[in-house]
């Protein structure tokens, strides 16, 4: 693991050896995840494709120099007060997908990567789309995994944001040490139970995520403005954009993936840029790494 400073925040990353392919694959993880989730896919691709994975600002090992720990927040305190402090502080707009895409732009510039395919999971897919818009010369294509949307359903999103804020309140450091807590994470959002190694990693990433980043990304990526902007963003991209959907994904159902994909010219009325993976939930790269790696290789090689 190496570190590089981006806009004052150290970012942890891993880069595999160069290959004969002129393009690098840049992997962007989702909310409350980290770069390690890409390892099963990268291990299958790195022999012939250079791969870069990194932790988003405030997640995994890409942490701010000063941090706030939820375990130090009184249990009676509502996240509304934290939310208000975030909104009114110098952290304004630091947690939008466009802001994270700016981090990505700086990362690729500092690493002298001039030709890349962006591969994003869930929230990471949205960041990848913004990255393609911000770096049209550098980004040759985008592959979104378990990522879609573009339809703002007011009640559903308000409930999602409320549940998410309550979810973030229960994050004491000792949670990761609780016996069998990882068993809960083996089944969450997946079609088949994960190995306990990955469940333990999910617990760790859930606990260590920076509070402002965790809350900021939740709120800033689910506003009505952000959701409604996605279809326009996709429609304006000149690069090829593909979507891998989990057939049993309950977090981002295939119909919502297809909806967003339909705004790109490659869709061609019949979903040519959508690939549905059977027996797969919301963590395709862990549930079906062979299929994900094969589809990525096929897409990149075809362009």
């Amino acid at each position: 693991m190496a570190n590089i400073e981006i806009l004052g925040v150290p970012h942890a990353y891993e880069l595999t050896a160069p290959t004969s392919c002129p393009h690098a694959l840049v992997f962007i993880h989702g909310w409350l995840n980290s770069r390690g989730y890409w390892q099963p896919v990268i291990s299958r691709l790195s022999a012939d494709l250079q791969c870069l994975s990194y932790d988003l600002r405030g997640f995994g090992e890409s942490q701010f120099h000063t941090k706030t720990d939820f375990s130090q927040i009184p249990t009676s305190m509502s996240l509304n007060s934290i939310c208000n402090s975030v909104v009114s502080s110098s952290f304004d707009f630091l947690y939008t997908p466009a802001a994270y895409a700016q981090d990505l732009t700086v990362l690729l510039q500092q690493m002298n990567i001039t030709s890349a395919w962006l591969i994003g999971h869930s929230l990471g897919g949205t960041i990848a789309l913004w990255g393609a818009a911000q770096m049209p010369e550098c980004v040759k294509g985008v592959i979104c995994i378990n990522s879609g949307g573009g339809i703002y359903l007011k009640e559903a999103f308000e409930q999602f944001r409320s549940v998410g804020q309550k979810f973030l309140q229960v994050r004491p450091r000792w949670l990761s040490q609780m016996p069998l807590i990882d068993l809960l994470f083996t089944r969450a959002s997946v079609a088949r139970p994960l190995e306990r190694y990955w469940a333990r990693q999910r617990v760790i990433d859930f606990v260590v995520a920076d509070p402002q980043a965790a809350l900021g990304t939740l709120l800033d990526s689910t506003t009505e403005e952000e959701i409604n902007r996605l279809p326009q963003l996709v429609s304006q991209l000149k690069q090829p954009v593909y979507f891998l959907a989990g057939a049993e994904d309950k977090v981002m159902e295939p119909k919502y993936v297809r909806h967003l994909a339909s705004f790109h010219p490659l869709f061609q009325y019949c979903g040519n840029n959508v690939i549905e993976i059977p027996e797969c939930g919301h963590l395709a790269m862990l549930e079906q790494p062979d299929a994900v790696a094969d589809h990525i290789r096929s897409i990149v090689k075809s362009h």
Side-chain angles (χ1 to χ4, degrees), residues 114-116 131-140 239:
T114 58
S115 182
Q134 292 183 16
M135 299 178 283
E137 299 302 321
C138 173
V139 177
K140 305 307 177 184
Q239 305 97 319

Side-chain angles (χ1 to χ4, degrees), residues 152-201:
Y152 187 78
L153 304 173
K154 187 175 185 293
E155 290 186 5
F157 273 96
E158 287 179 351
Q159 181 180 15
F160 175 77
R161 288 154 68 91
S162 175
V163 170
Q165 291 183 63
K166 292 176 182 176
F167 183 60
L168 289 175
Q169 282 184 307
V170 191
R171 294 200 308 151
R173 290 282 174 170
W174 49 259
L175 184 67
S176 61
Q177 306 302 319
M178 283 187 62
L180 307 180
I181 186 65
D182 55 319
L183 289 178
L184 295 176
F185 286 77
T186 60
R187 298 178 177 275
S189 305
V190 294
R192 292 182 295 182
L194 298 174
E195 295 178 9
R196 289 190 68 175
Y197 170 84
W198 292 114
R200 285 192 290 271
Q201 187 61 50

Side-chain angles (χ1 to χ4, degrees), residues 8-38:
V9 180
H11 279 63
Y13 73 91
E14 295 178 53
L15 180 66
T16 63
T19 69
S20 59
C21 179
H23 314 303
L25 305 184
V26 181
F27 293 87
I28 309 165
H29 67 77
W31 188 56
L32 296 180
N33 293 163
S34 62
R35 69 187 188 282
Y37 296 73
W38 293 113

